[in-house]
Amino acid sequence: MLYPLKMNPIYKEVIWGGKRLKEVFGKEIPSCNTGESWEIACHENGTSLVANGELKGKSLKEVIYIYGKNALGTKIWEEGNNKFPLLVKFIDASDKLSVQVHPEDEYARIHEGDFGKTEMWIVLDAKPDAKLVYGVKPKVTKKELEKGIKEGTLEKLLNFVDVKKGDVFFIPAGTIHAIGAGILIAEIQQNSDTTYRVYDWNRVDDKGNSRELHVKKALDVSVLSDVVGKEKLKGRIVKEGKNIRNYLVSCKYFSTEIIEINTESKESLNGEKFNLLIFIEGEGRITYKGGYVPFKKGDSFFIPAKMGDYSIVGQSKLIKTYI
Ligand code: ZN
């Protein structure tokens, strides 16, 4: 019997991490330098384990093996692809991250044997003066970019954006970007771990070493377009009775909605594609033909493609994403 699979998070400790995943979501983080919680992952650098029901303890990879297209959906299956396409994370940046860029699919396949990485961020919390980097200033050329990277003067070419809770950013592969200090986000991305570091704010560790920059690859894949004023995504808001659904992104790699539920939201899956649910506020239960599974904010679920009708009950806010 198919059921909503709650996934156990995988924590990543990093120098720029913090402890807000515990403060905001009550997560059992390993230390005060926890930067990422991989919520739903099926990558060689981290694979989620099921937290509930008869498949408890199995990895998402095993779930796909057991359920096959009933988990992944016919849409991916019939393309002859049984790889899980997405990766969902919470990121707590207590300090700013390096400035980076990701390749698109073809470059990633040739150079890294990985998927490309288009990603999106939903800001869950931000300190009052928080900023992030989204692209470069208008008319910056590759030559100027190269000079900036090599001489450590990239900062003046970067496009900084003020960030507040609720902001949404869509970051196509090739966009230079950095998450700033004091920002907590939910990230939805292609299933990839390929990052080219462009600039590390001239930081050094306690031994005086700086982190490696990937100059050539970063220059290869960077797309320099005018993004000023177009950084934030508004989405398309639809009222559904007492609920509000915001259709944020629908791209080649994923579609994402935010749903604010006051009583109940009926959802349905006919076997074509799976749903990922990431709860960011409230609590309640997911009901389905075989019963129900409780949820609270900070929980993430994989809903198999052949689930059929299911319902999200209880005052809550969640991110729903699918291909
Ligand atoms: Zn990124």
Side-chain angles (χ1 to χ4, degrees):
M1 177 102 202
L2 298 169
Y3 65 101
L5 301 171
K6 185 178 165 186
M7 307 311 287
N8 271 323
I10 303 158
Y11 299 112
K12 305 277 180 178
E13 296 175 73
V14 284
I15 42 164
W16 47 262
K19 55 179 191 300
R20 266 189 301 172
L21 292 171
K22 182 177 178 186
E23 291 166 356
V24 176
F25 292 130
K27 288 188 176 278
E28 290 165 29
I29 55 174
S31 76
C32 292
N33 283 331
T34 306
E36 300 188 353
S37 167
W38 288 24
E39 290 292 303
I40 303 173
C42 193
H43 192 275
E44 62 186 23
N45 297 341
T47 299
S48 311
L49 302 181
V50 178
N52 65 332
E54 63 181 270
L55 295 179
K56 186 174 176 173
K58 295 250 187 284
S59 70
L60 186 49
K61 199 173 173 178
E62 290 171 300
V63 170
I64 292 166
Y65 184 78
I66 296 164
Y67 282 169
K69 68 177 175 190
N70 290 342
L72 269 188
T74 50
K75 201 171 166 187
I76 306 181
W77 203 261
E78 278 157 17
E79 287 167 8
N81 187 356
N82 58 2
K83 259 193 168 171
F84 193 69
L86 300 179
L87 177 53
V88 176
K89 302 174 182 175
F90 290 130
I91 298 179
D92 174 16
S94 163
D95 192 6
K96 56 192 169 189
L97 277 73
S98 61
V99 181
Q100 49 188 249
V101 64
H102 309 296
E104 39 72 40
D105 279 344
E106 197 183 348
Y107 192 95
R109 182 175 52 78
I110 295 167
H111 294 268
E112 319 290 346
D114 199 356
F115 284 120
K117 189 162 156 185
T118 285
E119 62 192 36
M120 72 176 289
W121 299 333
I122 294 158
V123 177
L124 303 177
D125 196 15
K127 297 255 162 75
D129 52 355
K131 283 182 180 7
L132 57 75
V133 173
Y134 188 99
V136 293
K137 288 182 175 155
K139 300 194 178 95
V140 169
T141 64
K142 283 248 168 150
K143 226 180 170 114
E144 290 170 311
L145 186 67
E146 183 172 9
K147 190 163 177 273
I149 296 172
K150 287 183 172 162
E151 295 178 357
T153 57
L154 196 68
E155 212 159 321
K156 61 184 184 206
L157 304 180
L158 300 173
N159 179 41
F160 288 87
V161 189
D162 290 325
V163 181
K164 60 180 192 323
K165 185 178 175 178
D167 285 345
V168 178
F169 297 88
F170 178 68
I171 302 115
T175 309
I176 289 173
H177 60 276
I179 299 171
I183 301 176
L184 179 70
I185 64 167
E187 180 179 77
I188 292 134
Q189 54 160 97
Q190 284 180 268
N191 186 6
S192 166
D193 207 18
T194 299
T195 292
Y196 301 141
R197 195 178 294 122
V198 181
Y199 179 61
D200 202 22
W201 312 101
N202 299 318
R203 286 187 286 208
V204 290
D205 65 15
D206 46 17
K207 295 188 188 74
N209 299 316
S210 52
R211 293 197 288 176
E212 187 195 356
L213 302 180
H214 312 99
V215 183
K216 185 183 177 298
K217 286 178 171 175
L219 287 169
D220 280 350
V221 306
S222 291
V223 178
L224 308 178
S225 55
D226 185 357
V227 292
V228 173
K230 292 173 265 186
E231 300 94 344
K232 293 180 188 179
L233 214 66
K234 290 273 171 283
R236 185 170 59 84
I237 295 168
V238 177
K239 280 201 84 178
E240 299 175 345
K242 287 183 173 168
N243 305 329
I244 299 168
R245 192 181 300 255
N246 188 353
Y247 293 90
L248 291 169
V249 167
S250 184
C251 76
K252 192 175 154 194
Y253 304 108
F254 49 78
S255 296
T256 301
E257 305 164 8
I258 288 187
I259 317 173
E260 268 183 64
I261 299 175
N262 274 303
T263 49
E264 177 178 7
S265 179
K266 289 184 170 31
E267 308 288 326
S268 186
L269 284 173
N270 63 5
E272 199 186 324
K273 59 200 174 187
F274 60 80
N275 283 171
L276 305 181
L277 308 181
I278 303 101
F279 290 92
I280 53 177
E281 283 175 25
E283 58 186 6
R285 58 188 196 272
I286 305 168
T287 62
Y288 64 106
K289 220 171 142 197
Y292 73 90
V293 178
F295 71 79
K296 61 178 186 333
K297 71 172 182 178
D299 288 347
S300 298
F301 289 83
F302 173 83
I303 314 290
K306 205 83 204 258
M307 185 82 254
D309 295 335
Y310 70 96
S311 207
I312 304 161
V313 184
Q315 206 161 53
S316 60
K317 192 168 178 177
L318 70 137
I319 300 164
K320 174 182 163 187
T321 191
Y322 46 92
I323 51 148

